[in-house]
Amino acid sequence: MKSQSALGYDINNKKIRKTKTVFIDPKLSDKKKQKLLEKECVLFEEEVKAGMVGKDNIKFMDFVLNEWKPNYADKNLEITTLTRYMEFLNSRIFPAIRTYKVKRYYSSSVK
């Protein structure tokens, strides 16, 4: 079953899409399979809209280097500002909190 959520577009004007694979017991009747798929679809859409999909295992350092820097900082900050921010991150912040999970900070604002 296909689920579509209106997540908008990213900074490159591409649709933001999330997917999930659901495994269903082949022994179930067709009606039960359909009902289970519809239930999973609704739950998945709620997770996506709440921002809970894909954020559970990302570490702070990975978030900064793979999401924040290329998607925001490189495009919106002057080179001197970005250089200084990266110096602070590398020298002080990463050594202290590099293994913290980003979900800790998202979950309080999402609920």
Side-chain angles (χ1 to χ4, degrees):
M1 172 164 262
K2 198 173 189 177
S3 170
Q4 293 183 355
S5 295
L7 295 175
Y9 295 86
D10 65 8
I11 58 174
N12 297 320
N13 206 26
K14 291 186 179 182
K15 283 187 179 181
I16 300 172
R17 298 178 185 190
K18 302 289 181 184
T19 61
K20 179 178 182 180
T21 303
V22 178
F23 297 99
I24 299 175
D25 185 4
K27 297 175 187 171
L28 294 175
S29 68
D30 289 341
K31 271 190 172 181
K32 287 185 181 182
K33 286 179 189 177
Q34 186 64 29
K35 188 173 182 178
L36 182 61
L37 283 173
E38 289 173 2
K39 180 180 174 184
E40 288 293 326
C41 182
V42 169
L43 290 173
F44 179 65
E45 285 182 14
E46 289 174 2
E47 289 175 4
V48 170
K49 288 177 183 175
M52 300 301 288
V53 175
K55 298 291 183 201
D56 8 358
N57 294 324
I58 190 168
K59 295 178 183 174
F60 176 74
M61 184 174 164
D62 294 333
F63 170 77
V64 169
L65 297 176
N66 299 327
E67 292 186 36
W68 176 78
K69 187 176 181 297
N71 294 329
Y72 175 79
D74 289 341
K75 296 174 182 170
N76 296 305
L77 299 176
E78 293 290 330
I79 190 69
T80 53
T81 304
L82 178 57
T83 302
R84 191 69 177 139
Y85 283 3
M86 293 310 296
E87 286 174 5
F88 280 128
L89 284 164
N90 289 322
S91 66
R92 298 176 183 199
I93 299 172
F94 286 159
I97 64 171
R98 73 173 35 186
T99 60
Y100 284 17
K101 304 285 183 174
V102 175
K103 184 177 180 180
R104 292 183 187 180
Y105 308 106
Y106 276 119
S107 61
S108 61
S109 64
V110 170
K111 292 179 183 178

